[in-house]
Amino acid sequence: MPAAVQIPLRSMTMWLLLHSLLLASHLHSAAAFPKGCYPSEEEGLKTFRCSNAQLTEVPRDIPNDTNKLYLDSNRIPFLPRDAFRDLPLLLELDLSHNAIASVESGAFRGLAEHLLSLDLSSNRLVSVSKDAFSNLKAKVNLSDNPWLCDCRLQELIRTVELAAGSSGGIVCDSSVQEEHVGKAFLQVIADTDLCNVYKKTTDIAMLVTMFGWFAMVISYLVYYVRQNQEDARRHLEYLKSLPSKQRRSEESSTISTVV
């Protein structure tokens, strides 16, 4: 009878221990997430939400099976290299309404093959290298940023696929040509090739520089010749003032030197 009582007690003890371990593991996992971040499942996809969590950087402890990641409405200032490299299953990434002003090359490395949607709208992007989006197949939203409209932005726009309906929100906050300010960027590049304008400007600058150096060389040569002529004239005048024999000897020497 005592043995019969001990078996259920032992089983109950093991069950309670296992339950405690699972609970502790869950609490530790939850505690690892930044404040305001939590995992969920939406439409059968693993989702991790950090909206309005006052983040100042991309969290490091994002579950690596995440399919949808929301980091919108925070204070993230830039995206470093390999910021999302541990998220091999990520399909959607929302970084809108942050303070992102810089995107390093390689920030989205590892996402090229599977990421479908990238939202960078309503940030502080002025200029970004096309290399930052290298091989990215996702549809990208770049609207509502203070863009500098130049050749660099033109190359970027031709590299990425813009999200539907977002192109009109890419507006020139500043531009290499003043008349473009306030205009939709796609409208600007429909009429003007900014990269060609930049090339022409560079070519003209190079020509002006070369002409300046050429003019300096010519000026120096003219000055050098005139200075020698002036020295020779003064020397000849000096020779004329000498007695005849010495003058002829000096004149022959001067003529030989000039020749």
Side-chain angles (χ1 to χ4, degrees):
M1 187 69 176
V5 173
Q6 286 178 0
I7 293 174
L9 286 174
R10 186 180 299 169
S11 299
M12 181 65 72
T13 302
M14 292 297 293
W15 183 85
L16 289 172
L17 180 60
L18 181 61
H19 181 72
S20 298
L21 289 172
L22 290 173
L23 181 61
S25 176
H26 175 74
L27 290 174
H28 175 75
S29 177
F33 298 147
K35 183 180 180 181
C37 299
Y38 61 92
S40 64
E41 189 164 323
E42 300 177 8
E43 301 176 349
L45 297 174
K46 297 291 183 65
T47 302
F48 194 72
R49 286 190 174 273
C50 287
S51 304
N52 291 294
Q54 298 185 352
L55 299 177
T56 55
E57 63 180 3
V58 176
R60 298 180 181 179
D61 298 313
I62 302 170
N64 58 14
D65 61 348
T66 298
N67 303 128
K68 299 170 70 174
L69 176 59
Y70 292 89
L71 298 175
D72 56 299
S73 303
N74 285 290
R75 295 179 293 177
I76 300 172
F78 77 102
L79 300 178
R81 184 186 300 271
D82 295 323
F84 308 98
R85 66 178 179 179
D86 296 324
L87 301 173
L89 303 179
L90 195 62
L91 301 175
E92 296 182 22
L93 176 57
D94 188 347
L95 290 160
S96 63
H97 298 278
N98 272 281
I100 299 170
S102 174
V103 180
E104 290 187 359
S105 295
F108 304 110
R109 186 159 50 189
L111 304 181
E113 295 300 322
H114 46 84
L115 190 68
L116 302 177
S117 175
L118 172 61
D119 193 345
L120 282 165
S121 63
S122 301
N123 276 283
R124 298 178 184 174
L125 296 173
V126 175
S127 184
V128 179
S129 170
K130 64 178 181 179
D131 296 335
F133 298 85
S134 180
N135 300 319
L136 203 62
K137 298 177 181 178
K139 294 182 179 179
V140 184
N141 188 345
L142 298 172
S143 62
D144 300 320
N145 281 281
W147 290 109
L148 165 63
C149 291
D150 60 359
C151 179
R152 202 178 194 202
L153 180 58
Q154 180 173 310
E155 290 180 337
L156 171 62
I157 295 300
R158 290 177 175 174
T159 300
V160 302
E161 181 179 356
L162 297 177
S166 68
S167 60
I170 303 174
V171 177
C172 301
D173 187 72
S174 57
S175 176
V176 292
Q177 293 180 278
E178 191 65 28
E179 65 269 21
H180 296 156
V181 175
K183 292 183 179 180
F185 185 66
L186 291 191
Q187 177 187 346
V188 170
I189 59 176
D191 301 326
T192 307
D193 186 344
L194 295 178
C195 292
N196 192 41
V197 168
Y198 175 77
K199 184 177 182 300
K200 287 181 178 178
T201 303
T202 303
D203 290 345
I204 291 172
M206 290 181 64
L207 286 173
V208 169
T209 302
M210 290 175 64
F211 179 79
W213 279 105
F214 182 73
M216 287 177 62
V217 171
I218 295 299
S219 298
Y220 175 77
L221 289 174
V222 170
Y223 169 80
Y224 180 78
V225 170
R226 287 182 176 176
Q227 188 66 33
N228 280 352
Q229 288 177 340
E230 183 66 21
D231 289 343
R233 184 185 64 79
R234 289 176 181 173
H235 191 62
L236 288 173
E237 288 180 354
Y238 165 74
L239 292 177
K240 289 178 181 179
S241 65
L242 296 176
S244 59
K245 284 187 178 181
Q246 185 178 358
R247 182 173 60 202
R248 281 196 296 270
S249 175
E250 290 287 344
E251 283 178 350
S252 299
S253 176
T254 299
I255 293 170
S256 297
T257 302
V258 172
V259 172

